[in-house]
Amino acid sequence: MNSQFLSEYVNLLERVLSIGHEIHYCSGAIERQVSYSPYFQGIEQDNRYFAPIITENKLIKEFFPNLKKDLLEIPSYNQCLWAAEAFLRIQGATGLTFECIFLYIPINTMYEYFPLYHEMDFSHIVKEFKRLFDGKSAFGMLTEKYHYSLTDIAKRIGVSYDMLSSLKQRRRDIKKTGVEIVVRLSQVFNVRIETIAETVL
């Protein structure tokens, strides 16, 4: 992420989070929308390309097409503003997809971190994310989130249990696994290939 545009990115993500908070929108749905939004995927890759551009109204319509409230009536919530910058700082520091980041720190968990971390420098929440990320692979996080057994996954995609176990525990580098296997795993969990491969964009 290009830090030159950080404040713009923060403002737009904050609006999405604050509106979602105001209307009690499912945070899991927002995570999915952020992960697959062309705008936020553009942020992930803006070190290589031009910074993505979108108007606030267009972004809000993309996320909340049936929103009836006047945007001017929806306040900026402090925890949403802080969480927006925290997510963007983590993405900028790691180069991971937002989808991967949400595996380790979902939106609601980030809000729970707010009382402890909001008066600290953002380097502390980045450090906490890296601690979580270093402790468990994205593949491991996904198997736990969806309660999938390695035996079932191995049968489904036609690989050995031992291979999946070594990928889960990072004894084998998933980036050095055949592309076809990574694609199959991404299809099992319905996530982006870059997410399960922990690819730095």
Side-chain angles (χ1 to χ4, degrees), residues 11-42:
N11 290 338
L12 288 170
L13 182 53
E14 175 275 317
R15 283 283 75 202
V16 168
L17 296 181
S18 286
I19 291 167
H21 183 73
E22 173 76 8
I23 67 174
H24 306 290
Y25 197 80
C26 173
S27 61
I30 293 177
E31 290 166 9
R32 185 81 179 171
Q33 287 174 281
V34 168
S35 299
Y36 287 83
S37 161
Y39 176 73
F40 287 102
Q41 286 186 15

Side-chain angles (χ1 to χ4, degrees), residues 11-199:
N11 290 338
L12 288 170
L13 182 53
E14 175 275 317
R15 283 283 75 202
V16 168
L17 296 181
S18 286
I19 291 167
H21 183 73
E22 173 76 8
I23 67 174
H24 306 290
Y25 197 80
C26 173
S27 61
I30 293 177
E31 290 166 9
R32 185 81 179 171
Q33 287 174 281
V34 168
S35 299
Y36 287 83
S37 161
Y39 176 73
F40 287 102
Q41 286 186 15
I43 290 174
E44 292 171 352
Q45 301 177 17
D46 80 352
N47 277 333
R48 292 184 289 167
Y49 304 105
F50 293 110
I53 298 171
I54 198 168
T55 64
E56 180 180 304
N57 285 340
K58 185 174 180 182
L59 185 67
I60 297 311
K61 283 184 180 178
E62 177 187 316
F63 276 75
F64 309 104
N66 300 316
L67 184 67
K68 304 297 183 189
K69 288 196 170 193
D70 185 337
L71 293 181
L72 296 175
E73 295 177 359
I74 299 176
S76 293
Y77 290 95
N78 288 337
Q79 73 269 29
C80 296
L81 178 61
W82 178 83
E85 184 160 353
F87 282 125
L88 286 158
R89 296 270 187 170
I90 291 168
Q91 199 287 318
T94 64
L96 296 166
T97 65
F98 287 107
E99 185 175 45
C100 188
I101 293 165
F102 292 141
L103 285 177
Y104 295 88
I105 307 182
I107 290 171
N108 286 337
T109 302
M110 190 66 88
Y111 293 158
E112 292 171 5
Y113 282 161
F114 174 71
L116 177 63
Y117 283 97
H118 78 281
E119 291 185 352
M120 299 182 189
D121 184 272
F122 281 100
S123 63
H124 291 278
I125 192 64
V126 171
K127 184 177 180 181
E128 171 63 7
F129 173 82
K130 289 180 176 177
R131 182 189 70 79
L132 295 170
F133 181 77
D134 289 344
K136 195 168 291 184
S137 67
F139 176 47
M141 295 295 291
L142 285 163
T143 58
E144 291 181 12
K145 179 178 180 179
Y146 294 106
H147 308 290
Y148 285 4
S149 76
L150 294 185
T151 302
D152 290 342
I153 298 170
K155 288 177 183 176
R156 181 169 172 179
I157 69 171
V159 299
S160 71
Y161 174 93
D162 288 343
M163 172 186 269
L164 294 184
S165 179
S166 65
L167 291 174
K168 181 178 179 181
Q169 297 172 24
R170 289 199 181 117
R171 286 184 281 112
R172 178 184 294 210
D173 186 350
I174 195 167
K175 295 181 189 66
K176 295 179 181 176
T177 305
V179 173
E180 188 176 345
I181 292 171
V182 177
V183 170
R184 286 181 195 164
L185 286 172
S186 71
Q187 290 170 341
V188 167
F189 295 104
N190 193 25
V191 296
R192 293 164 59 187
I193 295 168
E194 302 95 333
T195 296
I196 201 162
E198 302 175 352
T199 303

